[in-house]
């Protein structure tokens, strides 16, 4: 359904604040922040965030299509988004992702870096709260959807936390990790709950699990071949070195994002071309691309390539360019 309601913005501060906050729970944030963490902060922090994010998001997406709770009615609610309107509402996966990412980042860094505990806690709370409030402001969720999503994510985070180190160790050292990381997500994607009409939840879930699968294989491969870790001169005193470190961080980020976007475009074009030839449909046929036998492989291969590129290819390029 297309949202055709007209509205007048009376407070541009809230409008842009919550539109921006809503973007913090979407692909544009995942594809920038998670790789940024891997390239510039800490590998172990990035691994734990991706593990939590993928598990939490899969459970949230599946829960939507099992519960089938509708989104707020429009009218009276004015909806500022169109794409996600076809999805069910409960739980809010934006709220789940924001809670999982912010608090897993806080928990993973609090014992490794020296910063005030209260500051990290407040930052995680503010980040997740802004994303949660944005879902109410944009008219995409009820208060119950948002609270439910945040609580489910918090419970899952508490359940996963005691096993973090064990899971991380297995993903880095087990010889079965690459096979497990690819096969299990594919099985989950192909057996996603069926709906009476098309919803982007299956495609979004495949995107998330594909990216996590590619990144996990990359983590394992880097550990097997002892890939060089990132170093930063920003930890040494002196303003010139701090300035130099900022340049390194920005260079890593922009080079990495450029390579990731190029990988996504190339793989999407190639995989859709192959599938279009196999199933005899034009690449621009949106209905054909929504079919199970097309959507799952094209999104999984595309985004697993993105995850693998971010964790293996980009670091090698950084090393080649002297950005390590």
């Amino acid at each position: 359904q297309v949202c055709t309601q007209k509205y007048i913005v009376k407070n541009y501060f809230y409008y842009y604040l919550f539109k921006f906050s809503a973007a913090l729970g979407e692909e544009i944030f995942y594809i920038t922040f998670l790789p940024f963490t891997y390239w510039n902060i800490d590998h172990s922090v990035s691994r734990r965030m991706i593990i939590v994010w993928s598990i939490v998001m899969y459970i949230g997406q599946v829960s939507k299509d099992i519960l089938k709770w509708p989104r707020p009615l429009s009218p009276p609610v004015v909806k500022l988004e169109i794409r996600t309107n076809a999805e069910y509402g409960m739980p809010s996966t934006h709220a789940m992702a924001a809670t999982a990412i912010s608090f897993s980042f806080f928990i993973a860094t609090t014992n490794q870096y020296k910063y005030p505990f209260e500051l990290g806690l407040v930052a995680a709370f503010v980040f997740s709260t802004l994303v949660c409030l944005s879902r109410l402001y944009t008219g995409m969720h009820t208060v119950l959807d948002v609270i439910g999503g945040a609580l489910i994510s918090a419970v899952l985070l508490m359940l996963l936390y005691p096993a973090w180190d064990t899971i991380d160790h297995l993903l880095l050292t087990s010889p079965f990790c690459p096979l497990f990381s690819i096969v299990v997500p594919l099985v989950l994607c192909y057996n996603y709950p069926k709906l009476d009409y098309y919803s982007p939840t299956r495609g979004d879930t495949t995107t998330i699990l594909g990216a996590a699968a590619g990144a996990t294989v990359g983590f394992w491969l880097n550990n097997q071949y002892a890939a060089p870790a990132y170093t930063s001169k920003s930890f040494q005193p002196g303003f010139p070195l701090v300035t130099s470190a900022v340049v390194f961080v920005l260079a890593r980020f922009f080079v990495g994002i450029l390579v990731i976007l190029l990988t996504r475009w190339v793989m999407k074009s190639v995989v859709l071309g192959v599938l279009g030839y196999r199933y005899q449909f034009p690449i621009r046929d949106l209905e054909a691309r929504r079919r199970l036998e097309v959507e799952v492989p094209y999104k999984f291969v595309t985004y697993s390539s993105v995850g693998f590129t971010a964790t293996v290819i980009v670091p090698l390029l950084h090393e080649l360019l002297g950005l390590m």
Side-chain angles (χ1 to χ4, degrees):
Q1 297 179 356
V2 178
C3 180
T4 57
Q5 271 190 290
K6 294 182 179 180
Y7 58 88
I8 298 174
V9 179
K10 295 183 178 180
N11 190 315
Y12 281 96
F13 173 76
Y14 287 146
Y15 178 78
Y16 288 113
L17 173 64
F18 291 124
K19 289 286 282 185
F20 173 77
S21 300
L24 298 179
E26 297 174 357
E27 181 185 351
I28 188 172
F29 175 73
Y30 305 144
I31 209 169
T32 53
F33 180 71
L34 294 177
F36 178 88
T37 304
Y38 188 77
W39 300 329
N40 293 296
I41 299 179
D42 191 279
H43 286 188
S44 64
V45 172
S46 180
R47 291 196 303 269
R48 285 161 172 75
M49 288 174 63
I50 290 174
I51 291 169
V52 172
W53 168 67
S54 57
I55 293 174
V56 164
M57 288 299 289
Y58 175 76
I59 292 175
Q61 296 283 71
V62 169
S63 298
K64 279 186 178 184
D65 290 340
I66 291 177
L67 293 174
K68 298 182 179 180
W69 287 19
R71 289 184 182 269
L73 292 177
S74 177
V77 171
V78 177
K79 296 184 178 180
L80 305 186
E81 296 178 10
I82 296 175
R83 180 183 177 274
T84 56
N85 196 37
E87 299 178 6
Y88 288 108
M90 177 68 172
S92 166
T93 46
H94 273 72
M96 293 184 71
T99 303
I101 289 178
S102 59
F103 282 93
S104 62
F105 181 83
F106 166 61
I107 294 170
T109 58
T110 187
N111 293 324
Q112 297 189 36
Y113 298 95
K114 293 182 179 179
Y115 64 84
F117 177 86
E118 296 78 8
L119 178 63
L121 183 63
V122 169
F125 180 78
V126 169
F127 178 90
S128 56
T129 300
L130 281 175
V131 176
C132 289
L133 291 177
S134 74
R135 308 316 289 158
L136 302 178
Y137 183 87
T138 55
M140 303 310 297
H141 285 285
T142 64
V143 174
L144 186 59
D145 295 342
V146 170
I147 293 176
L151 287 178
I152 292 171
S153 187
V155 170
L156 289 172
L157 191 57
M158 287 189 292
L159 293 175
L160 289 170
Y161 176 70
W164 265 14
D165 292 338
T166 303
I167 295 173
D168 190 50
H169 177 73
L170 289 174
L171 291 180
L172 291 178
T173 60
S174 173
F176 301 105
C177 173
L179 181 64
F180 180 86
S181 300
I182 297 297
V183 172
V184 172
L186 269 177
V187 170
L188 293 176
C189 292
Y190 273 108
N191 291 277
Y192 193 83
K194 294 180 175 59
L195 298 177
D196 296 331
Y197 65 95
Y198 177 79
S199 168
T201 49
R202 184 183 65 200
D204 291 345
T205 303
T206 305
T207 295
I208 292 166
L209 294 185
T216 302
V217 173
F219 296 149
W220 180 87
L221 192 65
N222 287 339
N223 187 65
Q224 302 306 306
Y225 293 95
Y230 286 94
T231 59
S232 176
K233 297 178 181 178
S234 61
F235 299 109
Q236 301 178 21
F239 180 76
L241 292 180
V242 172
T243 305
S244 175
V246 171
V247 172
F248 267 72
V249 167
L250 293 177
R252 289 172 183 169
F253 177 73
F254 286 114
V255 168
I257 290 300
L258 180 62
V259 174
I260 283 178
L261 293 178
L262 182 61
T263 300
R264 184 178 66 169
W265 176 74
V266 170
M267 293 306 299
K268 181 177 180 180
S269 302
V270 170
V271 176
L272 275 178
V274 172
L275 292 171
Y277 177 79
R278 168 65 177 82
Y279 294 107
Q280 298 298 308
F281 68 88
I283 293 179
R284 297 185 180 277
D285 186 343
L286 184 59
E287 289 301 317
R289 287 164 54 174
R290 289 175 171 178
R291 287 154 44 187
L292 175 67
E293 65 271 21
V294 175
E295 183 177 59
V296 170
Y298 114 69
K299 289 201 170 184
F300 191 87
V301 172
T302 298
Y303 284 91
S304 61
S305 300
V306 167
F308 184 82
T309 297
T311 54
V312 177
I313 306 301
V314 170
L316 289 175
L317 182 59
H318 285 165
E319 184 181 16
L320 183 64
L321 297 174
L323 297 175
M324 298 296 284

